[in-house]
Amino acid sequence: MIQFVVHTRDLNGVARLGTLTTPHGAIETPAFMPVGSLGAVKGIESENLQSLGYGLILNNAYHLYLRPGHEVVAAMGGLHRFTTWPGAILTDSGGFQVFSLSKLCKVTDEGVTFQSHLDGSLHHITPERAIEIQEALGADIMMAFDECVALPSSRERVEEALARTNRWAARCQAARRRTDQALFGIVQGGHDPELRKQAADGIVAMGFDGYAIGGLSVGEEKSVMYRMLDATVPHLPADHPHYLMGVGMPEDLVEGVARGIDMFDCVVPTRHGRTGCLFTSTGKISIKNAKYARDEQPIDPDCSCPVCARHSRAYLHHLFLVKEMLGVRLNTLHNLYYFAHLMRGIRAAIADGSFADFRAAFHARRVPHVEACVSGEREDRSEEVRL
Amino acid sequence: MIQFVVHTRDLNGVARLGTLTTPHGAIETPAFMPVGSLGAVKGIESENLQSLGYGLILNNAYHLYLRPGHEVVAAMGGLHRFTTWPGAILTDSGGFQVFSLSKLCKVTDEGVTFQSHLDGSLHHITPERAIEIQEALGADIMMAFDECVALPSSRERVEEALARTNRWAARCQAARRRTDQALFGIVQGGHDPELRKQAADGIVAMGFDGYAIGGLSVGEEKSVMYRMLDATVPHLPADHPHYLMGVGMPEDLVEGVARGIDMFDCVVPTRHGRTGCLFTSTGKISIKNAKYARDEQPIDPDCSCPVCARHSRAYLHHLFLVKEMLGVRLNTLHNLYYFAHLMRGIRAAIADGSFADFRAAFHARRVPHVEACVSGEREDRSEEVRL
């Protein structure tokens, strides 16, 4: 299963440097997980991810359940063998996608009935079924099946969903058969600090292998999200990994670590790459901007990635405008490097006790809103191709 | 400029093993050129092409003239610097695209007026302009600007077009300013052996750096195409490279070499990769076929490419069905490897005088029409993204 060790703490003990050891390798934390919804990080091969420094990725149980089907993946020997990704995998339980992507979603205490976003076919997922699917997929880390309410919602609605999420978490635990996969619980509770504490206390009492914070980065102000982290993380066991789901932008990673988060996932580097939005040490640029048509500079002169070592903004601008697939791939590689590099910087800063300086310098360097980029970093926390 | 040396001949002296030396490297011939219409072989990086064994690729002057514009490429230092492809480049003059892709194409002796297939804007290309564009692009090898008639056409129409093509060829020669780029003439003449000879005699009399055969693989029977090669190649200088444009399928490469061809280009490996049609030692398979859903074998158990070394048909089938970009890339890498490997086999066979055996074994191994694949290998001899 997994082991988590915290080596060093910084920022009054809140920011943590650790190692998460899985059956498929050890990952230094804080860590960012690229999203490979359908069993592949869009356009990127395993060896590219590894050479960028990634050892843990996320796959979406919802998408793989629909296509090719978890039984097919199981018959092919599980996700690692099927996709040939040699590193560790975490599967999202599908809760978020069921509520955000599917049609005609009907929730009862028993589970959720929904229509596939692909063909309208009817499906029924219970906590037990979510575990069965994830055990068939065979990731290193599974997630409990949770109810995600649209926010803002009434306190009653949020409370009801967190209570159900916690009851489902217990059923997920009881449903486990495999002993080689870890299971993380998910703390819901909307934007209410009291409900967040209540949700955390319930989940922690059940004893999971790790603890995730769900239902954030769904459109709220960043200050609200950060307040929710302040209201939740202190109630999580200090010796277990803390995972902030579906987050986020570079500043969210820095601020999440500053609040005790060890793991993140987000489609931002990959999806932004596809829309031509490229991260730099001072913020981001939109490569489709006409001013780059004859710009011989790399995306970021301060970046050491293989794309910046070789290609000009002018070439990437051209590839983007003509919708050439290579452009998407190069943009994605650059953005994935940026995220991996940011996490390396965060870890190095915690290691030598300078994370406060790192955080201040990070924010000071950023030029706000230089160029408008298409956002949409969190429509569905997955990398689905819309048909 | 370029140098061409024939080292060995086989098959009664017709099949040739040679070296084409360019300012950007030496290429062993017979050689196949992948097509990178817009300055990139779709989804594939330079280092991938090089490690697959390619040293010469084709870019389309027509597409690059429209986007980003040849002046932009020139301002960025030419195609090699703009695209960072370190190997040799041949640019198609644009003749074929003007006649096959553009709207409202009007030909006079002076040149062609046409509407862009992208936005309907009006453009005028003369032989002089085609050379100006190709000199701005800066490829190692330029092509003369030719008139491509739709086939079948009347003998009069074909004769008129070949006469114009030959007049334009002389104007292309006269228009050259740069001395570091080679220029190839193009032999037209439709499906008429006499006209092919007539076209070849005219072009050869002008003295080009190499000789191309155009206007084939446009829908005619393969036997017709092979007959036209038999009617043309003997009239080309034996000490210059012979290039069969826009061809072709693996069997066409083998049969082209058997008729004295040294160079080929075609979108087949890349375009077929995008449609899930994968080449194997016995023919081709369509990876979207349901029978591959749980097939753990590689595409071709006899293939040594990096994709076959690692991935199952089941995974590639899944990636294709969910339209995952990585699937297109892996399919393309496999197909490009297949073509490079085929050419290596052809060269090795000529080197040791066994090309007749190679050719017989190649055809004997092939299982005709195992699976229907989307064809379309030669709609426009370019890798344009249709908007």
Side-chain angles (χ1 to χ4, degrees):
Chain A
M1 224 203 269
I2 64 162
Q3 281 195 311
F4 182 65
V5 180
V6 174
H7 306 298
T8 319
R9 293 163 183 275
D10 195 3
L11 213 65
N12 304 318
V14 177
R16 303 128 58 93
L17 180 74
T19 301
L20 177 69
T21 304
T22 75
H24 293 88
I27 296 98
E28 302 307 305
T29 62
F32 176 82
M33 297 181 270
V35 176
S37 292
L38 283 149
V41 175
K42 291 212 168 306
I44 306 299
E45 284 148 280
S46 293
E47 48 267 44
N48 302 135
L49 292 173
Q50 289 184 297
S51 67
L52 290 168
Y54 290 106
L56 170 61
I57 66 170
L58 181 145
N59 289 159
N60 285 110
Y62 170 87
H63 291 299
L64 292 164
Y65 158 78
L66 290 176
R67 297 181 304 182
H70 57 291
E71 300 95 342
V72 170
V73 175
M76 295 296 100
L79 274 177
H80 288 95
R81 188 154 166 217
F82 181 59
T83 68
T84 75
W85 164 245
I89 302 175
L90 178 149
T91 44
D92 193 349
S93 68
F96 190 85
Q97 283 74 39
V98 164
F99 290 98
S100 60
L101 269 185
S102 68
K103 299 176 239 172
L104 292 181
C105 179
K106 188 170 168 343
V107 195
T108 65
D109 260 355
E110 202 226 334
V112 188
T113 303
F114 64 94
Q115 278 195 315
S116 157
H117 71 293
L118 297 170
D119 60 5
S121 57
L122 216 59
H123 299 267
H124 185 61
I125 304 254
T126 60
E128 292 76 15
R129 179 80 167 146
I131 293 299
E132 182 193 332
I133 292 167
Q134 291 185 84
E135 289 195 338
L137 295 174
D140 300 85
I141 302 172
M142 304 186 288
M143 299 302 299
F145 190 63
D146 57 338
E147 180 180 359
C148 306
V149 287
L151 291 173
S153 281
S154 68
R155 185 183 159 108
E156 291 63 38
R157 183 72 196 85
V158 172
E159 203 165 359
E160 178 193 38
L162 94 76
R164 185 175 281 136
T165 292
N166 286 19
R167 287 195 298 275
W168 285 359
R171 284 168 58 189
C172 284
Q173 259 189 342
R176 292 172 75 173
R177 293 290 168 271
R178 285 178 65 164
T179 54
D180 57 338
Q181 295 174 283
L183 177 64
F184 281 20
I186 303 178
V187 177
Q188 291 286 351
H191 299 149
D192 184 318
E194 275 179 43
L195 294 184
R196 284 279 164 186
K197 176 182 185 311
Q198 184 183 318
D201 288 346
I203 293 291
V204 170
M206 295 175 213
F208 284 91
D209 304 312
Y211 296 90
I213 302 176
L216 292 180
S217 190
V218 290
E220 76 277 10
E221 290 288 318
K222 283 189 190 300
S223 59
V224 174
M225 174 167 80
Y226 299 155
R227 239 182 5 253
M228 291 307 106
L229 295 183
D230 292 333
T232 310
V233 179
H235 305 292
L236 303 178
D239 56 349
H240 282 67
H242 307 156
Y243 162 30
L244 177 54
M245 302 185 80
V247 175
M249 296 297 282
E251 58 273 24
D252 301 330
L253 306 185
V254 173
E255 291 306 305
V257 169
R259 289 165 173 85
I261 300 297
D262 308 298
M263 298 163 65
F264 304 86
D265 82 275
C266 196
V267 298
V268 155
T270 42
R271 185 173 293 166
H272 274 44
R274 296 202 297 286
T275 62
C277 183
L278 305 178
F279 291 94
T280 72
S281 44
T282 59
K284 49 194 196 293
I285 70 170
S286 178
I287 198 66
K288 69 184 166 192
N289 198 314
K291 74 179 176 188
Y292 299 126
R294 293 176 186 232
D295 189 338
E296 292 200 81
Q297 290 186 92
I299 299 165
D300 182 353
D302 291 336
C303 176
S304 306
C305 87
V307 180
C308 285
R310 181 156 191 171
H311 297 291
S312 66
R313 292 171 179 171
Y315 185 53
L316 296 170
H317 171 81
H318 164 64
L319 295 180
F320 185 82
L321 286 196
V322 301
K323 303 184 196 238
E324 162 54 51
M325 196 167 44
L326 181 62
V328 170
R329 179 172 152 83
L330 296 176
N331 292 348
T332 303
L333 287 170
H334 167 83
N335 280 353
L336 284 172
Y337 178 90
Y338 175 91
F339 274 66
H341 181 72
L342 175 62
M343 299 315 291
R344 273 193 294 273
I346 288 172
R347 291 193 298 267
I350 299 173
D352 67 10
S354 65
F355 181 68
D357 293 343
F358 179 94
R359 181 187 186 186
F362 171 86
H363 290 299
R365 234 184 358 253
R366 293 173 79 78
V367 183
H369 256 289
V370 184
E371 288 172 43
C373 279
V374 177
S375 85
E377 59 255 30
R378 178 63 191 276
E379 291 115 49
D380 62 25
R381 205 169 63 213
S382 69
E383 286 279 27
E384 169 65 9
V385 180
R386 298 309 171 80
L387 299 178
Chain B
M1 225 203 270
I2 64 162
Q3 279 196 312
F4 182 64
V5 180
V6 174
H7 306 297
T8 319
R9 292 162 184 276
D10 195 4
L11 213 67
N12 304 318
V14 178
R16 304 127 58 92
L17 181 74
T19 302
L20 178 69
T21 305
T22 75
H24 293 89
I27 296 97
E28 302 308 304
T29 62
F32 176 83
M33 297 181 269
V35 176
S37 293
L38 284 149
V41 175
K42 292 216 168 303
I44 307 299
E45 284 148 278
S46 292
E47 49 267 45
N48 302 134
L49 292 172
Q50 289 183 298
S51 68
L52 290 169
Y54 291 106
L56 169 61
I57 66 171
L58 181 145
N59 289 159
N60 286 111
Y62 169 87
H63 291 299
L64 292 164
Y65 158 77
L66 291 176
R67 298 181 303 182
H70 57 291
E71 301 95 340
V72 171
V73 175
M76 296 296 100
L79 273 178
H80 288 94
R81 188 154 166 215
F82 181 59
T83 68
T84 74
W85 165 246
I89 301 175
L90 178 149
T91 44
D92 193 349
S93 68
F96 190 85
Q97 282 74 39
V98 164
F99 291 98
S100 59
L101 268 186
S102 68
K103 299 177 240 173
L104 292 180
C105 178
K106 188 171 171 340
V107 194
T108 66
D109 260 355
E110 202 226 336
V112 189
T113 303
F114 64 95
Q115 279 194 313
S116 157
H117 71 293
L118 296 171
D119 61 4
S121 57
L122 216 60
H123 300 267
H124 185 61
I125 304 255
T126 61
E128 292 76 16
R129 179 80 167 147
I131 294 297
E132 183 193 332
I133 291 167
Q134 290 185 85
E135 290 195 339
L137 295 174
D140 300 84
I141 301 171
M142 304 185 289
M143 299 302 300
F145 190 64
D146 56 339
E147 180 180 359
C148 306
V149 288
L151 291 173
S153 282
S154 69
R155 185 183 159 109
E156 290 64 38
R157 183 71 196 86
V158 172
E159 204 164 359
E160 177 193 40
L162 96 76
R164 185 175 282 135
T165 292
N166 286 20
R167 287 195 299 275
W168 285 359
R171 284 168 58 190
C172 284
Q173 260 190 341
R176 292 172 75 173
R177 293 293 168 268
R178 285 178 63 164
T179 55
D180 56 339
Q181 294 174 285
L183 177 64
F184 282 21
I186 303 178
V187 177
Q188 289 288 350
H191 299 149
D192 184 318
E194 276 179 42
L195 294 185
R196 284 280 164 185
K197 177 182 184 311
Q198 184 184 319
D201 288 345
I203 293 290
V204 170
M206 297 175 212
F208 284 91
D209 305 311
Y211 296 89
I213 302 175
L216 292 181
S217 190
V218 291
E220 76 278 10
E221 290 288 318
K222 282 189 190 299
S223 59
V224 174
M225 174 167 81
Y226 299 153
R227 242 186 359 257
M228 290 308 107
L229 295 184
D230 291 333
T232 310
V233 179
H235 306 293
L236 303 179
D239 56 350
H240 283 67
H242 307 156
Y243 162 31
L244 177 54
M245 303 185 79
V247 176
M249 295 298 282
E251 58 273 24
D252 301 331
L253 306 186
V254 174
E255 290 307 305
V257 170
R259 289 166 174 83
I261 299 297
D262 309 298
M263 299 164 64
F264 303 86
D265 83 274
C266 196
V267 299
V268 154
T270 42
R271 185 173 292 166
H272 273 44
R274 296 203 297 286
T275 62
C277 183
L278 306 178
F279 291 94
T280 71
S281 43
T282 58
K284 49 193 196 296
I285 69 170
S286 177
I287 198 66
K288 69 183 166 192
N289 198 316
K291 73 179 177 190
Y292 299 125
R294 294 176 186 232
D295 189 337
E296 293 199 81
Q297 289 186 92
I299 299 164
D300 182 353
D302 290 337
C303 176
S304 307
C305 88
V307 180
C308 286
R310 181 158 192 171
H311 296 291
S312 66
R313 293 172 178 170
Y315 184 53
L316 296 169
H317 170 82
H318 164 64
L319 295 179
F320 185 82
L321 286 196
V322 301
K323 302 183 197 240
E324 161 56 48
M325 196 168 44
L326 180 62
V328 170
R329 179 171 153 82
L330 296 176
N331 291 348
T332 303
L333 287 170
H334 167 82
N335 279 353
L336 284 172
Y337 177 91
Y338 175 90
F339 274 65
H341 181 71
L342 175 63
M343 300 314 291
R344 273 192 295 274
I346 288 172
R347 291 194 298 267
I350 299 173
D352 66 12
S354 65
F355 182 69
D357 293 343
F358 179 94
R359 182 187 186 187
F362 171 86
H363 290 299
R365 234 181 1 249
R366 293 173 78 80
V367 183
H369 257 290
V370 184
E371 287 172 45
C373 279
V374 177
S375 84
E377 59 255 31
R378 178 64 191 276
E379 290 115 52
D380 62 25
R381 205 170 62 212
S382 68
E383 286 280 26
E384 169 66 10
V385 180
R386 300 309 171 79
L387 299 176

